[in-house]
C-alpha cells in the first residue's frame, strides 16, 4: 500500500499530487528583470572584500615574501582617498609618463608611421593623462577614471598584439600597462624619514578574471590561426599570409615572398614572387609545425585549465562563508518573537542551503560575462564577414529574450515553492530527531514515518517541477538556436562555392588572414563563430533560468538579513558599569502581541546580596519578567534600570555578559563536561570549573566519571538524568561569575537533600550578587529574602515568607497551604 501511494505521488509522467500552499512575504511573480538583478547586486558587499583585497606593509629591509614583513591592513580605499594615513601612489604618474615618452624617443612607437601606430600611441598618452587625473579625484570620479584606464589599457594591449606587426610595440605597451597597474598594487610613504612600501594582496576576484581573460585571448589566438593554417594551407595548398608565415618562421611559404634571383651577368638580387601553390613537402612540414604549435599551446593552457576551477571554488567558498556568518550573526540577534514564529529547520535550510546560492551567483555572473563576451565577439566577426550572418546571430538572442519573458515568472514561482517545501521537510526531520524520546515512548514511529514520507514526497514533487520546466526551457531554446544555425550554414555553403567577398575584407587582410573572399577557411571560421554564438545564447537562457532559482534562495536569505532585531543598541550605548546599588523595574508593561498584555505596571527594586523568588500560576509572566532584565525584549512602557541606568542605554552584549541564566530546558551540547560548564567562558581554568561544579553539587558526580571533566556527553546530554543536567546548567551559570544570576526552576528535578545543599552553597556564593529564583517548590521559595507573587501579569503580593504567610486569604498563603495539602495527600497515598 505504501509503495502504491508513493508511486502515485511520484508518477513517471505528469506533475504528481497537488502541492500545498506555502507562507511567503511576497509573491515571486511580482519580481521583474530589474528586481532579480537587484537581488544579485545585494551580494556585492560580500564580493567586494575579495576584489579589493588588503594591504600588507613591507617595512624597510624586509621583503614582501617575509612572513613577518608587516601588518595586514583591510583595504577600504576603493574611492582613492589615501590621505588619512599618508599612503600615496604619486610616484606612478611620473613613471608612466617616462615610459610613454620612451616610445617616441627610442623609435619603438612613433607618430606618422601608420594609423595603427598613431592610434596605439594616442592610447598611451590617454593612459598617462588618466594616471595623473587619479591624483586629483576621489569617490565616483576615481572609480570611473580607474575603470576607463583599465578598459583603455586592455584594448590597447590587445590591439598591439593582433593589429600591429612586430614584438617591440607589444613590449612597449606592456611596460606602460604594467606601470598603470602599479597604482592598484603598490603605494609608499615616509615614516620618520624612512621609506615604507605596501602592496595589495588578496584581490582574488581580480586575479581570477585576469587569468580567465588571458586564457580566453590565448584560446582565441590558437583558434584564429589554426583554422587558417589547416583549412587553407595544409588542406588546399594555399600559400600562407605574410603575417602567419613570419609568425611560424617560414617566409618562403607566403604569397608575395621574397626569393633570391640570379641575373645573366651573375649578380644576385631579391624579388617578390607570388607563390601559386604549396608543394607537398611544404604542406607536410606545415603539418608538423601545426602539431608542435598545438602541443605548446596545450602546455600553455594546462595551468589555467587545472588551476582556474580550483581557484574559483576557493574564492566562492570564502564568499559563501562570509554570507553564512552574516546570516548566523543576524539570526542570533533576532528576537525571541521571530524564533517563536519560525521552525528551526527553516532557519537551518536558509543558512545551509539558501546562502550557498551566493557561490552560484558569482559563477553565473562569471559565465554570463564570458558567454556575452563570446557572443559579442561572434556577432562582430560574423558581421565583418557578412551583415546577414550578424543579423541572424542577433535574432537568436531577440527570440530568446521573448521566450525568457514567458517562462521566468513560472520558474520563480516553482523555485520558491520548492525551497519552502524543502525547508518544511528539513523542519520535519529536525523535529522528528528532537522528539525521538517521545516518538519511542508513545510508539508513534509509524505515524511519524508517514509524515516524513509525505513531506519528502511533496518536496520531491516541487523540485521535480522546477527541473521539468528547466528541461522545457532548454528544448525550446535549442530549437530556436538550431533553426538560426542551420539557416546560416546553408547561406555560408552557397557563398563559399562562389566568389563573394567578405564584408570587411580590408580589416581581415590587416589581421593577416587569408579569407578576404568566401572560401573553406571562411566557411569553417564563420560556422564555428555562429555555432559558438548559438551555444552562448542557449547557455545564457539556461543560466537565466537557473538565476530565477538562485534569486529565490538569496531572497530568502535577505529576508532574514532585512529583519531588524527588536532589541538594538542605542547609538550612544555604553558598557555596563559594575553593579553596586539596585535593579529597578519602574511601571513596566509588556505584551508579545498587541491587546494581550503579559506584564502590567510592574514596579520593584532588588539590591545586591539578596535572593528574590518569583512565584505564581503558570502563564503569570514570571519568565517574561526575567526576559526584560536580560533585554531579550524591551518593555512597551516603563523602564528597567541598573544603578539608575536604563537598560536601553547599555550595550546589549555588555549587559548580558553580566547576567548568568540557568534555564528550565537544561540544554547541554555534544562535547566534554568541561566545555559544557565553561560554554560561555571558554578560557575558564579547571580550578574555576571545579569550583562552579562544587557550588552546583555536581563535583562528586564528575569525579566519579571515567574521564572526569574530559568525559564526552551525547547530544543534549541524553545519557544524563534530568537532575544531573540541571546541576550542570547551574554550574555553567556559576562559572560565569556575574553579579546577577537568574535561575528558572533550578531545583525542580532534585531531591530534597540535594536541593538543600545546592541552595545553601548558592547563598554562600551569591553574597554581593542579585539572585532571582523562578520556582514552585515551597522549600526553595522559603529560603529567599524576598518573594514576588505574580498573577495575570501583576505583582499582587511582595515580601518575605513569614510576612506573606500572615496575610489572611493571601494569594501566597493559599499557594503554600495548597502545596502542603497536596504533599500530605501524596504521602498518605504512598502509605
Amino acid at each position: 500500500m505504501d509503495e502504491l501511494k508513493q508511486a502515485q505521488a511520484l508518477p513517471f509522467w505528469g506533475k504528481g499530487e497537488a502541492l500545498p500552499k506555502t507562507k511567503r512575504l511576497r509573491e515571486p511573480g511580482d519580481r521583474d528583470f530589474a528586481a532579480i538583478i537587484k537581488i544579485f547586486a545585494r551580494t556585492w558587499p560580500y564580493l567586494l572584500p575579495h576584489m579589493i583585497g588588503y594591504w600588507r606593509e613591507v617595512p624597510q629591509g624586509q621583503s614582501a615574501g617575509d612572513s613577518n614583513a608587516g601588518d595586514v591592513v583591510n583595504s577600504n580605499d576603493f574611492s582613492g582617498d589615501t590621505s588619512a594615513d599618508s599612503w600615496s601612489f604619486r610616484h606612478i604618474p611620473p613613471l608612466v609618463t617616462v615610459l610613454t615618452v620612451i616610445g617616441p624617443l627610442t623609435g619603438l612607437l612613433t607618430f606618422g608611421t601608420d594609423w595603427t601606430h598613431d592610434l596605439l600611441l594616442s592610447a598611451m598618452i590617454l593612459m598617462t593623462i588618466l594616471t595623473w587625473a587619479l591624483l586629483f579625484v576621489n569617490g565616483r570620479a576615481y572609480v570611473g577614471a580607474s575603470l576607463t584606464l583599465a578598459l583603455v589599457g586592455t584594448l590597447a594591449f590587445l590591439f598591439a598584439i593582433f593589429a600591429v606587426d612586430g614584438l617591440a610595440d607589444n613590449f612597449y605597451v606592456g611596460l606602460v600597462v604594467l606601470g598603470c597597474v602599479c597604482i592598484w598594487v603598490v603605494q609608499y610613504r615616509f615614516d620618520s624619514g624612512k621609506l615604507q612600501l605596501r602592496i595589495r594582496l588578496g584581490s582574488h576576484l581580480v586575479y581570477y578574471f585576469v587569468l580567465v581573460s588571458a586564457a580566453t585571448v590565448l584560446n582565441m589566438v590558437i583558434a584564429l590561426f589554426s583554422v587558417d593554417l589547416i583549412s587553407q594551407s595544409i588542406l588546399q595548398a594555399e600559400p600562407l599570409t605574410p603575417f602567419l608565415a613570419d609568425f611560424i618562421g617560414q617566409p618562403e611559404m607566403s604569397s608575395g615572398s621574397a626569393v633570391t634571383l640570379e641575373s645573366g651577368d651573375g649578380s644576385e638580387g631579391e624579388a617578390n614572387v607570388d607563390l601559386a601553390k604549396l608543394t607537398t613537402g611544404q604542406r607536410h612540414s606545415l603539418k608538423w609545425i601545426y602539431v608542435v604549435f598545438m602541443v605548446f599551446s596545450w602546455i600553455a593552457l594546462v595551468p589555467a585549465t587545472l588551476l582556474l576551477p580550483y581557484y574559483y571554488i576557493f574564492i566562492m567558498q570564502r564568499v559563501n562563508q562570509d554570507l553564512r556568518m552574516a546570516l548566523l550573526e543576524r539570526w542570533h540577534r533576532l528576537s525571541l518573537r521571530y524564533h517563536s514564529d519560525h521552525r528551526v529547520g527553516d532557519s537551518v535550510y536558509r543558512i545551509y542551503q539558501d546562502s550557498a546560492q551566493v557561490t552560484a551567483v558569482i559563477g553565473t555572473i562569471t559565465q554570463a560575462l564570458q558567454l556575452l563576451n563570446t557572443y559579442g565577439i561572434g556577432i562582430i566577426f560574423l558581421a565583418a564577414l557578412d551583415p546577414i550572418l550578424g543579423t541572424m546571430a542577433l535574432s537568436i538572442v531577440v527570440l530568446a529574450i521573448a521566450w525568457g519573458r514567458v517562462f521566468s515568472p513560472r520558474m520563480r514561482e516553482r523555485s520558491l515553492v520548492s525551497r519552502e517545501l524543502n525547508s518544511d521537510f528539513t523542519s520535519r526531520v529536525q523535529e522528528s530527531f528532537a522528539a525521538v524520546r517521545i516518538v519511542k515512548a508513545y510508539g508513534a514511529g509509524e505515524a511519524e514515518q508517514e509524515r516524513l514520507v509525505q513531506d519528502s514526497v511533496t518536496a520531491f514533487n516541487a523540485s521535480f517541477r522546477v527541473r521539468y520546466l528547466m528541461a522545457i526551457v532548454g528544448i525550446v531554446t535549442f530549437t530556436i538556436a538550431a533553426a538560426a544555425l542551420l539557416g546560416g550554414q546553408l547561406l555560408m555553403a552557397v557563398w563559399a562555392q562562389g566568389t563573394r567577398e567578405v564584408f570587411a575584407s580590408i580589416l581581415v587582410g590587416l589581421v593577416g588572414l587569408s579569407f578576404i573572399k568566401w572560401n573553406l577557411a571562411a566557411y569553417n571560421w564563420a560556422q564555428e563563430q555562429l555555432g559558438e554564438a548559438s551555444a552562448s545564447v542557449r547557455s545564457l537562457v539556461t543560466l537565466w533560468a537557473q538565476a530565477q532559482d538562485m534569486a529565490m534562495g538569496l531572497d530568502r536569505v535577505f529576508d532574514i538579513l532585512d529583519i531588524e532585531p527588536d532589541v538594538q543598541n542605542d547609538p550612544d550605548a555604553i558598557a555596563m558599569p559594575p553593579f553596586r546599588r539596585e535593579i529597578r523595574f519602574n511601571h513596566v508593561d509588556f505584551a508579545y502581541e498587541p491587546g494581550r498584555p503579559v506584564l502590567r505596571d510592574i514596579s520593584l527594586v532588588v539590591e545586591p546580596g539578596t535572593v528574590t523568588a518569583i512565584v505564581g500560576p503558570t502563564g503569570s509572566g514570571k519568565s517574561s519578567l526575567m526576559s526584560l532584565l536580560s533585554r531579550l525584549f524591551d518593555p512597551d512602557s516603563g523602564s528597567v534600570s541598573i544603578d539608575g541606568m536604563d537598560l536601553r542605554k547599555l550595550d546589549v552584549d555588555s549587559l548580558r555578559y553580566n547576567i548568568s541564566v540557568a534555564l528550565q530546558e537544561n540544554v547541554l551540547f555534544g562535547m566534554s563536561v568541561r566545555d559544557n560548564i565553561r560554554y560561555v567562558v571558554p578560557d575558564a581554568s579547571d580550578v574555576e570549573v571545579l569550583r562552579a561544579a562544587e557550588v552546583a553539587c555536581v563535583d562528586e558526580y564528575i569525579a566519579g566519571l571515567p574521564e572526569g571533566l574530559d568525559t564526552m556527553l551525547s547530544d543534549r546530554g541524553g545519557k544524563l538524568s534530568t537532575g544531573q543536567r540541571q546541576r550542570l546548567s547551574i554550574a555553567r551559570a556559576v562559572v560565569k561569575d556575574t553579579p546577577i544570576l537568574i535561575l528558572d526552576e533550578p531545583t525542580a528535578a532534585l531531591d530534597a537533600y540535594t536541593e538543600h545543599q545546592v541552595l545553601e552553597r548558592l547563598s554562600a556564593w551569591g553574597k554581593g550578587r542579585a539572585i532571582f529564583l523562578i520556582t514552585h517548590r515551597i522549600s526553595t521559595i522559603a529560603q529567599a529574602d524576598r518573594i514576588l507573587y505574580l498573577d495575570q501579569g501583576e505583582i499582587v503580593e511582595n515580601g518575605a515568607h513569614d510576612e506573606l504567610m500572615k496575610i489572611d486569604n493571601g494569594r501566597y498563603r493559599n499557594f503554600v497551604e495548597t502545596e502542603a495539602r497536596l504533599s500530605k495527600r501524596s504521602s498518605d497515598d504512598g502509605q
Side-chain angles (χ1 to χ4, degrees):
M1 187 63 182
D2 289 341
E3 289 76 6
L4 177 60
K5 291 172 62 178
Q6 186 164 335
Q8 293 172 343
L10 305 175
F12 178 77
W13 185 260
K15 297 180 180 180
E17 296 179 354
L19 300 179
K21 294 291 184 181
T22 57
K23 297 180 181 179
R24 59 189 61 168
L25 298 178
R26 65 182 74 88
E27 291 301 318
D30 297 339
R31 301 171 177 85
D32 55 9
F33 176 82
I36 299 300
I37 297 301
K38 286 180 181 178
I39 292 175
F40 288 163
R42 293 193 62 183
T43 63
W44 174 249
Y46 305 98
L47 305 179
L48 187 59
H50 303 281
M51 180 173 290
I52 64 176
Y54 57 88
W55 290 106
R56 180 179 290 277
E57 297 180 16
V58 184
Q60 191 177 26
Q62 291 181 318
S63 65
D66 191 344
S67 61
N68 299 316
D71 298 328
V72 174
V73 181
N74 289 331
S75 178
N76 297 312
D77 63 340
F78 197 59
S79 64
D81 185 7
T82 59
S83 58
D85 52 7
S86 301
W87 290 101
S88 175
F89 56 84
R90 287 190 294 269
H91 59 294
I92 299 299
L95 173 63
V96 174
T97 303
V98 170
L99 292 173
T100 302
V101 171
I102 286 177
L105 291 180
T106 59
L108 289 174
L109 200 63
T110 58
F111 277 115
T113 305
D114 55 44
W115 71 269
T116 59
H117 288 75
D118 292 347
L119 182 61
L120 203 56
L121 190 55
S122 299
M124 299 301 100
I125 295 173
L126 177 58
M127 291 170 63
T128 303
I129 294 173
L130 289 171
T131 57
W132 282 101
L134 290 175
L135 289 177
F136 305 102
V137 296
N138 288 311
R140 293 183 178 179
Y142 178 88
V143 175
S146 299
L147 294 176
T148 304
L149 178 60
L151 178 62
V152 172
T154 302
L155 293 177
F157 191 63
L158 292 175
F159 187 77
I161 293 175
F162 291 108
V164 182
D165 291 336
L167 297 177
D169 57 276
N170 297 349
F171 177 73
Y172 166 68
V173 173
L175 280 179
V176 177
V177 171
L178 183 61
C180 295
V181 170
C182 288
I183 292 178
W184 175 263
V185 176
V186 181
Q187 291 184 355
Y188 76 95
R189 71 176 177 183
F190 287 95
D191 185 13
S192 302
K194 294 182 179 179
L195 175 66
Q196 286 190 337
L197 298 176
R198 67 176 186 177
I199 58 175
R200 189 188 296 272
L201 301 173
S203 302
H204 296 295
L205 282 173
V206 175
Y207 305 154
Y208 176 76
F209 280 112
V210 168
L211 291 173
V212 168
S213 300
T216 302
V217 170
L218 185 57
N219 274 314
M220 188 185 303
V221 171
I222 294 171
L224 193 64
F225 293 106
S226 295
V227 67
D228 202 13
L229 188 66
I230 294 175
S231 300
Q232 294 301 114
S233 300
I234 295 178
L235 295 181
Q236 299 189 72
E238 295 290 337
L240 300 174
T241 62
F243 174 79
L244 190 55
D246 291 338
F247 180 76
I248 65 174
Q250 301 290 333
E252 69 279 3
M253 295 188 186
S254 70
S255 57
S257 59
V259 298
T260 302
L261 299 177
E262 184 175 349
S263 62
D265 58 1
S267 61
E268 295 181 351
E270 289 189 352
N272 291 331
V273 177
D274 286 334
L275 190 62
K277 291 288 184 178
L278 296 177
T279 65
T280 302
Q282 288 175 322
R283 293 167 67 188
H284 278 293
S285 65
L286 282 180
K287 176 183 66 177
W288 293 112
I289 290 174
Y290 172 74
V291 170
V292 173
F293 173 74
M294 292 305 298
V295 168
F296 277 99
S297 300
W298 179 81
I299 292 174
L301 287 172
V302 162
T305 304
L306 295 179
L307 295 179
L308 279 178
Y310 172 83
Y311 194 29
Y312 171 77
I313 293 174
F314 166 77
I315 298 170
M316 293 307 101
Q317 290 306 313
R318 289 168 66 97
V319 174
N320 187 23
Q321 177 73 0
D322 291 345
L323 179 58
R324 189 171 289 170
M325 292 303 100
L327 187 58
L328 273 171
E329 181 182 9
R330 176 53 58 94
W331 186 76
H332 281 300
R333 291 186 176 277
L334 291 177
S335 70
L336 292 181
R337 282 193 181 97
Y338 169 84
H339 295 293
S340 299
D341 294 338
H342 291 77
R343 302 170 78 179
V344 173
D346 178 68
S347 297
V348 172
Y349 192 87
R350 290 177 194 251
I351 291 171
Y352 175 72
Q353 188 67 31
D354 290 334
S355 68
Q357 297 306 302
V358 71
T359 63
V361 166
I362 307 308
T364 299
I365 293 174
T366 303
Q367 293 179 56
L369 290 175
Q370 292 173 341
L371 291 170
L372 286 172
N373 179 59
T374 301
Y375 180 67
I377 291 175
I379 288 181
I380 293 172
F381 275 121
L382 289 170
L385 293 176
D386 199 292
I388 296 176
L389 291 179
T391 304
M392 294 183 69
L394 190 61
S395 67
I396 303 175
V397 77
V398 174
L399 294 173
I401 290 173
W403 170 229
R405 291 181 62 86
V406 174
F407 74 75
S408 293
R410 293 177 176 83
M411 182 63 72
R412 290 193 291 271
E413 171 72 27
R414 294 187 181 188
S415 295
L416 185 57
V417 170
S418 172
R419 290 188 173 278
E420 289 174 339
L421 291 177
N422 275 279
S423 173
D424 288 344
F425 176 62
T426 304
S427 297
R428 175 69 68 186
V429 173
Q430 184 271 331
E431 291 165 359
S432 297
F433 288 160
V436 64
R437 286 176 176 266
I438 296 177
V439 171
K440 288 183 174 296
Y442 284 93
E446 291 186 8
E448 190 63 28
Q449 177 72 12
E450 179 66 25
R451 283 190 288 268
L452 278 168
V453 169
Q454 183 60 46
D455 283 357
S456 177
V457 168
T458 302
F460 176 88
N461 273 335
S463 299
F464 174 77
R465 294 185 184 202
V466 175
R467 300 299 178 268
Y468 178 82
L469 181 55
M470 284 188 175
I472 297 298
V473 168
I475 292 171
V476 173
T477 307
F478 176 81
T479 303
I480 294 172
L485 181 61
L486 290 174
Q489 287 180 328
L490 176 61
L491 280 176
M492 291 184 292
V494 173
W495 293 339
Q497 292 297 318
T499 58
R500 183 185 178 96
E501 280 195 358
V502 299
F503 177 72
S505 57
I506 296 176
L507 180 61
V508 173
L510 179 66
V511 175
L513 300 176
S514 67
F515 37 87
I516 297 175
K517 293 184 178 182
W518 277 95
N519 53 26
L520 180 60
Y523 173 83
N524 286 337
W525 174 251
Q527 177 184 242
E528 182 180 346
Q529 291 301 313
L530 186 59
E532 288 185 0
S534 171
S536 296
V537 173
R538 283 162 37 209
S539 298
L540 281 170
V541 172
T542 301
L543 286 176
W544 178 247
Q546 294 171 352
Q548 312 307 300
D549 181 47
M550 297 173 209
M552 295 302 97
L554 285 172
D555 205 29
R556 282 167 46 83
V557 172
F558 291 130
D559 280 344
I560 304 301
L561 294 176
D562 288 341
I563 298 174
E564 292 296 331
D566 293 341
V567 176
Q568 299 188 55
N569 271 331
D570 187 275
D572 301 319
I574 63 172
M576 176 178 164
F579 173 46
R580 300 187 185 281
R581 300 192 308 276
E582 65 177 20
I583 298 171
R584 180 180 294 272
F585 287 73
N586 186 33
H587 300 292
V588 170
D589 291 330
F590 174 72
Y592 292 105
E593 299 176 8
R596 301 181 62 182
V598 175
L599 298 173
R600 298 186 183 93
D601 196 28
I602 299 293
S603 294
L604 66 101
V605 177
V606 176
E607 298 175 350
T610 60
V611 177
T612 302
I614 304 173
V615 298
T618 300
S620 59
K622 303 183 293 296
S623 297
S624 298
L625 183 66
M626 291 298 94
S627 296
L628 297 181
L629 180 58
S630 300
R631 262 204 96 187
L632 298 177
F633 304 97
D634 283 331
D636 298 329
S637 63
S639 64
V640 183
S641 61
I642 296 178
D643 290 343
M645 178 69 70
D646 193 310
L647 298 190
R648 286 168 285 205
K649 297 296 182 181
L650 297 177
D651 178 77
V652 174
D653 292 334
S654 173
L655 170 67
R656 293 174 184 170
Y657 181 81
N658 285 277
I659 299 176
S660 294
V661 182
L663 300 172
Q664 287 177 301
E665 289 84 355
N666 303 314
V667 177
L668 297 176
F669 303 94
M671 47 190 173
S672 68
V673 172
R674 176 191 290 104
D675 290 335
N676 266 284
I677 293 177
R678 65 180 188 183
Y679 175 72
V680 291
V681 191
D683 57 348
S685 65
D686 283 358
V687 173
E688 294 170 318
V689 169
L690 290 173
R691 172 57 182 158
E694 182 182 355
V695 172
C697 296
V698 75
D699 51 327
E700 293 183 2
Y701 168 73
I702 294 174
L705 293 173
E707 299 178 34
L709 290 174
D710 294 319
T711 302
M712 296 297 297
L713 301 182
S714 59
D715 186 33
R716 294 180 296 158
K719 296 180 180 180
L720 303 180
S721 68
T722 304
Q724 290 165 341
R725 291 200 299 271
Q726 198 162 56
R727 283 179 285 165
L728 283 174
S729 295
I730 295 173
R732 179 193 295 156
V734 170
V735 79
K736 195 176 177 184
D737 196 23
T738 59
I740 302 171
L741 176 64
I742 300 172
L743 301 174
D744 194 346
E745 294 287 359
T747 59
L750 303 182
D751 59 80
Y753 175 74
T754 305
E755 174 198 18
H756 177 75
Q757 277 190 314
V758 170
L759 291 176
E760 189 176 68
R761 295 182 185 183
L762 275 174
S763 298
W765 172 84
K767 291 180 179 178
R769 311 171 198 268
I771 299 179
F772 294 87
L773 301 175
I774 300 174
T775 182
H776 291 89
R777 296 187 65 164
I778 303 302
S779 55
T780 303
I781 299 170
Q783 299 183 50
D785 299 302
R786 185 180 188 182
I787 300 168
L788 305 176
Y789 191 91
L790 269 67
D791 192 8
Q792 296 184 355
E794 298 180 1
I795 299 177
V796 294
E797 292 181 5
N798 180 358
H801 174 76
D802 293 339
E803 295 173 2
L804 298 182
M805 290 299 293
K806 294 177 182 178
I807 301 175
D808 292 336
N809 296 320
R811 300 285 186 88
Y812 176 74
R813 179 175 174 176
N814 288 336
F815 166 74
V816 173
E817 291 173 350
T818 301
E819 288 288 324
R821 285 195 299 272
L822 291 174
S823 297
K824 185 175 185 302
R825 183 180 301 172
S826 298
S827 177
D828 293 342
D829 292 343
Q831 294 176 356

